[in-house]
Amino acid sequence: MDAHRLLQQSTEFIKGVGAARAALLARELDIHTWEDVLYHFPFRYIDRRTFQKISEVHVQLGMVQLCGRLRDVVHSGTGRGQRLTAWLNDGTGEIPLVWFQGIDRLFGLLKLGQEYVVFGRPVAYRDELSMPHPEITPRDRFLEQGAGLSLYPVYPGTEKLRKNRIESRFFSQTTRFVLEKAHAGVSDYLPSEIRAHHRLLERQKAMWGIHHPQSEREAFESRHRLKFDELFYLQFGLVHNKIKRQSGSRGHRFGLVGEMVNSFYTHHLPFSLTEAQKRVIREIRSDMGTGRQMNRLLQGDVGSGKTIVALMAMLLAIDNGFQACLMAPTEVLAVQHEQSISELVRNMPVRVALLTGNVRAKERRALLQDLQAGEIHILVGTHALIEPPVVFAQLGLAIIDEQHRFGVAQRAALWAKNNPPPHVLVMTATPIPRTLAMTQYGDLDLSVIDELPAGRRPIMTRHVLDRQRLSVFQFLREQIALGRQIYIVYPMIEEGDDEQMKYLMDGYESVSRAFPVPDYQVSIVHGRMKPDDKQMEMQRFAAGKTNIMVATTVIEVGVNVPNASVMLVENAERFGLSQLHQLRGRVGRGAEQSYCLLMTANEPKGESIRRIEALCSTTDGFKIAEIDLQLRGPGDLTGTQQSGMLDLSLADLRTDEVLIAETRRAVEQLLSQYSDYSKPPLSLLLMGYQAQKSRHKNWGEIS
Ligand code: ADP
Ligand code: MG
């Protein structure tokens, strides 16, 4: 069998694996083939040239290497309860080495007083350290073999695998087996000029070197090469798609600035636009005027005024005879968008409609009919918009608000709603660090609203403790007396969580007691309420009929009640940083001084204190996003699970900014030089891309 085919075989056929362990690997780590084994990379190495002092060993170290003499060897128990214990002493301390199998053979071999090198994982039982089943080699032999010269790779694994003795040593052995038999199957599609220019190892060498490095340098260079490929092909897909769309000239040309835009601008605009809003509108207009499809990411911190920009873009589409849609991540937000847009255009001949999962069948049918007949100009909704029965007469512009709840796949579903595809504007309130902009959104053009409307006062943010609750409530009363409104938000990580639900209801009760009717009105909104009830409560709060809104994070995104001036976050330590920033963004939307109070039960520890400090120290969303990226990594940054994001196995958006920029430049250069995908180098790179994509579930398709 040739090496490529070998790599596609089941792990069952690796020496020392077999059916049971193969099944376990598949279940625990999604490792099925020989090739999958190679792509299970070590995350660090243990230097086998050095020895740990026994006095400094603890379980958190994982694998450790020790050197000492055996003080005593004892064979105890009978039958299955047999064990062999050898006490290793290195002068700093002593640790028992324990075996439950292969006892007879070892018992004969181990010599008291002799020096041994021992390698294994210490465990603790009732504070007593021991080391089960270590590798043990007489020191002379260890030195002779040169075993002391190499680095020992440490692989990620699971508790279950460890129990079945599938750990680093296992992966080290299986990768060696696979590479010895089939390393020729590891293909390198990168042009040699690129390899030379970036001083990259050959891919086969790198695959050896990441699993079996002889030196730190080799380990580093091998990882670098494989990481380069990962980022390079990611950029290849992104830049390819971007160029394709830009040059494809398949896009509506919105050449006309007509009645809608003009009359809105002169008669209905409720305030004057900020310079940043004007600039962004110009960028969008010029995109949509070229006849190429727009794919633009609009970044603007919470409260920067993205809605009006979206509306102006939609009016431009209508002026040119097209429909537009606006997709929001939650029902609450969709409803609110629909209302505020309807309000803004109420004296204009523009028909706005709302479509969510809760629109009733009869209404829905009528709505879909009107939509298809072109009688609805602007359709606002949730992801119900991308479902197949939703057919537009002529969709010219699709806007996605608060993109971070949507994946790349949903974006693609919108493109498919019309032929040629609609212009796409993605709006996000989570400022995006450079590395994320180059990866997650690397196929989009970028516009930034970097200015808040005039007259906004920075929100004052304070950390308060639960025991200060009385004075906090007093402060809330003062604010209410001034005519302002209050949000009190409880964590609800999972909407179905009973314990959190109880906590929320307890909170609601105690707030209701502290703010009793008829002097105060308190609303509550959470995910388990019926949409209509939720809507009604939101409505009452927005209309100023209630003073306090007790809620979960359902109000996190986008909700706009300018009269609300205090955001009190309960158990603030449970929220992520950008989540807190989003929540804070719900206040400070009017001209009044606003406050954000982050309440915790006790003095918080660890990362939560850093999050709270970060929030108290700045209101700059960009700084917060950077800190968040550093603290939590990109997966959590946007509040989605890793699964919704690009997955990267080697690269780290926190630390690989330079390499990301470098690979992007390399790809841009190549794609400006070559365009024929049937010939090298692009034909090869396409294969390299496909190979990488098959290992990264959330990469976009090259089209
Ligand atoms: P976001 O960018 O968070 O979606 P919105 O579009 O909801 O922000 O706008 C936040 C608030 O600021 C709204 O009440 C909106 O009417 C107001 N606003 C937007 N632009 C301006 C402006 N140029 N001048 C004054 N107020 C503005
Ligand atoms: Mg918004």
Side-chain angles (χ1 to χ4, degrees), residues 301-302 404-405 429-431 489-495 500 551-558 567 569-587 596 598 611 615 621 624-625 628-629 632 636-641:
D301 210 343
V302 280
H404 61 269
R405 299 294 173 91
T430 311
V489 175
Y490 286 81
M492 183 67 75
I493 288 81
E494 255 176 83
E495 281 296 346
Q500 288 175 6
T552 60
T553 44
V554 290
I555 60 133
E556 171 193 339
V557 177
M567 167 62 63
V569 184
E570 297 273 351
N571 278 68
E573 74 277 7
R574 299 237 195 137
F575 291 87
L577 190 49
S578 26
Q579 221 177 0
L580 288 172
H581 181 62
Q582 280 292 326
L583 284 171
R584 176 167 62 181
R586 297 310 108 217
V587 297
C596 176
L598 305 171
R611 290 200 292 268
L615 217 69
I624 287 174
D628 207 19
L629 181 62
R632 300 205 298 171
D636 288 334
L637 181 74
T638 49
T640 55
Q641 301 79 10

Side-chain angles (χ1 to χ4, degrees), residues 613-629:
E613 273 170 5
L615 217 69
C616 292
S617 69
T618 181
T619 51
D620 180 338
F622 244 104
K623 274 190 201 141
I624 287 174
E626 288 286 353
I627 296 171
D628 207 19
L629 181 62

Side-chain angles (χ1 to χ4, degrees), residues 271-274 277 300-308 337 401-402 429 453-454 456 558 560 562 586 589:
F271 35 66
S272 48
L273 297 175
T274 63
Q277 283 170 319
D301 210 343
V302 280
S304 61
K306 294 183 289 296
T307 313
I308 205 87
H337 269 315
D401 192 17
E402 315 294 355
R456 294 272 173 84
N560 187 31
R586 297 310 108 217
R589 306 192 140 234

Side-chain angles (χ1 to χ4, degrees), residues 158-208:
T158 67
E159 203 47 50
K160 209 181 224 136
L161 289 174
R162 208 165 291 140
K163 283 211 182 91
N164 286 276
R165 310 269 308 275
I166 298 182
E167 37 189 343
S168 294
R169 199 182 302 165
F170 169 88
F171 288 113
S172 186
Q173 283 160 0
T174 46
T175 53
R176 180 174 292 281
F177 177 89
V178 169
L179 283 169
E180 275 168 358
K181 293 264 186 293
H183 74 256
V186 176
S187 312
D188 194 342
Y189 300 105
L190 221 51
S192 53
E193 310 91 74
I194 298 230
R195 228 174 53 215
H197 183 255
H198 295 272
R199 300 207 179 86
L200 301 171
L201 291 185
E202 283 166 27
R203 214 172 136 77
Q204 282 175 19
K205 269 205 183 127
M207 205 47 108
W208 270 107

Side-chain angles (χ1 to χ4, degrees), residues 69-77 81-89 94-104 106-107 110-112 128-134 136:
R69 292 176 197 281
L70 293 186
R71 183 180 60 77
D72 199 3
V73 180
V74 175
H75 186 173
S76 60
Q82 279 190 84
R83 64 159 69 190
L84 183 69
T85 312
W87 278 267
L88 184 78
N89 189 309
E94 198 163 273
I95 187 169
L97 316 173
V98 191
W99 290 268
F100 303 97
Q101 284 156 18
I103 292 175
D104 291 341
L106 267 169
F107 193 53
L110 296 181
K111 295 198 177 67
L112 289 186
E128 296 284 332
L129 277 183
S130 66
M131 189 183 278
H133 282 270
I136 183 163

Side-chain angles (χ1 to χ4, degrees), residues 265-308:
Y265 195 80
T266 38
H267 302 301
H268 303 288
L269 199 60
F271 35 66
S272 48
L273 297 175
T274 63
E275 286 310 311
Q277 283 170 319
K278 286 186 201 158
R279 187 189 65 239
V280 165
I281 290 170
R282 272 201 303 276
E283 285 167 357
I284 292 170
R285 249 182 51 193
S286 100
D287 265 12
M288 298 200 297
T290 57
R292 290 188 238 114
Q293 188 209 6
M294 170 174 81
N295 276 284
R296 191 166 277 280
L297 174 67
L298 173 56
Q299 273 191 55
D301 210 343
V302 280
S304 61
K306 294 183 289 296
T307 313
I308 205 87

Side-chain angles (χ1 to χ4, degrees), residues 33 234 547:
T33 64
L234 171 65
N547 312 98

